[in-house]
Amino acid sequence: MQTRPLGPGAPSVSAVGFGGMPLSIRGRPDDEGTALRVIHAGLDAGMTLVDTANVYCLDDTDIGHNERLVAKALRTWGGRSDAVVVATKGGITRPKGEWGLDGRPASLKRACEQSLVALGVDCIALYQYHRPDERVPFAESVGALADLRREGKIRWVGLSNVSVAQIREAAAIVPIVTVQNRLSPFFREALETGVVTHCAKEGIGFLAYSPVGGGRLNQKLPSIGALAPIAAAHATSPHAMVLAWVLAQGPTVIVIPGARTEAHATDAARAADLVLTRAELDAITAAAFSTA
Ligand SMILES: NC(=O)c1ccc[n+]([C@@H]2O[C@H](COP(=O)([O-])OP(=O)(O)OC[C@H]3O[C@@H](n4cnc5c(N)ncnc54)[C@H](OP(=O)(O)O)[C@@H]3O)[C@@H](O)[C@H]2O)c1
């Protein structure tokens, strides 16, 4: 599988990583065995990056569900799990199943301690500030991650759902290794606002989340006319086409699609080695991807 540098000072990882969210939120598989097999399918296909978060769970009584699942998948996998980078996040809450924000330094530090336990590690490889909390000065939240890094509790610092100005502000406090924002043909704001270009310039890994459009919109891909002939030409799925298009948007882009079936995880992994022609990429860029 094609690899790309995760970011400054970090190793290269598979260009297609595993997005853990759908295995732990509403609609997740009923049994743990299925979820573990899906993660194993991704790892078997060569994925060496797994993205999780403390809040990939049903509600505040279930915090850490996805982190515990990922940890168990790595423990029970037959391959070299020490070569897999696990990225988690803090800064979001799940009161009664809703989504909230808490970027206060003490809360981030508490969340990180819980993630260390859930993942069963002494040091988290990549810890990402999940989404800026406007009630807390951004520099104070980032400062908490800098403290955690100094204390050896996290190795690399990442940001998520941020602007170029916020990346610059954070980089003055602590080295920023990755930025995780939404990017798919449905949602191109990371291209339009210059975040992808900025990451490429700085060598920061850009982790494209919801790269096939997320749980609802990805289901529209088979009916998007422009994708069908290109997928047929490469004997692959429209989802893999779209992942290849996202990967082509920048040299530091890494995609982290979610999956709840082994077949989808394996299919997504294949996208890393697809090379689309300029004309094919342009056709996807020009196609209509309605979010309705
Ligand atoms: N930082 C953030 O704020 C943030 C926000 C959202 C997501 N994320 C991260 O990004 C990851 C991916 O985002 P996402 O899960 O929202 O959206 P996504 O990856 O765009 O879409 C996930 C859905 O696409 C389907 N899929 C994927 N590959 C497929 C294939 N080859 N063929 C058919 N269907 C396929 C899967 O369906 P099945 O479930 O049926 O397999 C899956 O549920 C998450 O898991 C999470 O790690 C981060």
Side-chain angles (χ1 to χ4, degrees):
M1 154 122 49
Q2 182 201 158
T3 59
R4 292 190 174 182
L6 183 61
S12 289
V13 295
S14 56
V16 179
F18 189 90
M21 187 173 76
L23 292 178
S24 291
I25 61 171
R26 201 152 50 93
R28 71 194 190 188
D30 292 335
D31 66 305
E32 188 184 74
T34 300
L36 292 172
R37 280 192 294 279
V38 175
I39 300 174
H40 288 167
L43 298 172
D44 287 340
M47 292 181 180
T48 56
L49 172 68
V50 179
D51 181 70
T52 180
N54 58 342
V55 287
Y56 294 163
C57 62
L58 296 179
D59 57 34
D60 46 5
T61 65
D62 189 38
I63 291 288
H65 179 278
N66 198 250
E67 295 174 319
R68 290 187 291 276
L69 186 68
V70 166
K72 186 163 184 181
L74 289 170
R75 275 199 313 275
T76 56
W77 183 50
R80 279 204 49 206
S81 52
D82 57 329
V84 177
V85 172
V86 177
T88 193
K89 316 183 189 80
I92 289 190
T93 58
R94 298 300 310 278
K96 295 188 167 60
E98 299 294 316
W99 297 86
L101 294 175
D102 188 350
R104 291 174 294 179
S107 305
L108 286 169
K109 290 181 180 180
R110 211 166 29 244
C112 179
E113 295 290 348
Q114 288 173 356
S115 290
L116 284 163
V117 174
L119 289 169
V121 295
D122 299 326
C123 175
I124 291 168
L126 175 61
Y127 197 67
Q128 306 158 98
Y129 181 32
H130 206 151
R131 182 180 286 276
D133 176 354
E134 283 173 11
R135 297 166 309 175
V136 182
F138 185 61
E140 288 183 17
S141 305
V142 174
L145 269 63
D147 289 347
L148 289 166
R149 180 173 170 271
R150 256 190 308 274
E151 292 161 11
K153 294 183 173 161
I154 65 176
R155 185 153 183 203
W156 300 301
V157 172
L159 305 172
S160 183
N161 297 298
V162 286
S163 64
V164 171
Q166 287 168 324
I167 301 168
R168 286 206 175 99
E169 184 181 351
I173 298 166
V174 67
I176 299 302
V177 174
T178 59
V179 166
Q180 180 174 149
N181 282 9
R182 183 171 65 172
L183 176 59
S184 71
F186 293 100
F187 298 107
R188 307 180 188 194
E189 63 274 8
L191 299 172
E192 292 151 5
T193 59
V195 172
V196 172
T197 305
H198 180 75
C199 288
K201 195 158 68 63
E202 300 296 326
I204 294 171
F206 179 89
L207 308 187
Y209 81 68
S210 301
V212 292
R216 178 178 68 89
L217 291 173
N218 88 84
Q219 295 169 36
K220 295 175 75 171
L221 294 180
S223 62
I224 292 178
L227 292 176
I230 309 173
H234 290 270
T236 186
S237 67
H239 289 75
M241 289 291 89
V242 164
L243 291 173
W245 179 88
V246 177
L247 284 172
Q249 302 309 309
T252 65
V253 174
I254 291 165
V255 293
I256 48 166
R260 289 173 301 176
T261 69
E262 293 170 70
H264 290 167
T266 306
D267 184 61
R270 272 193 224 115
D273 295 320
L274 278 172
V275 182
L276 302 188
T277 65
R278 188 69 257 165
E280 289 169 336
L281 290 169
D282 290 347
I284 298 174
T285 302
F289 285 83
S290 164
T291 57

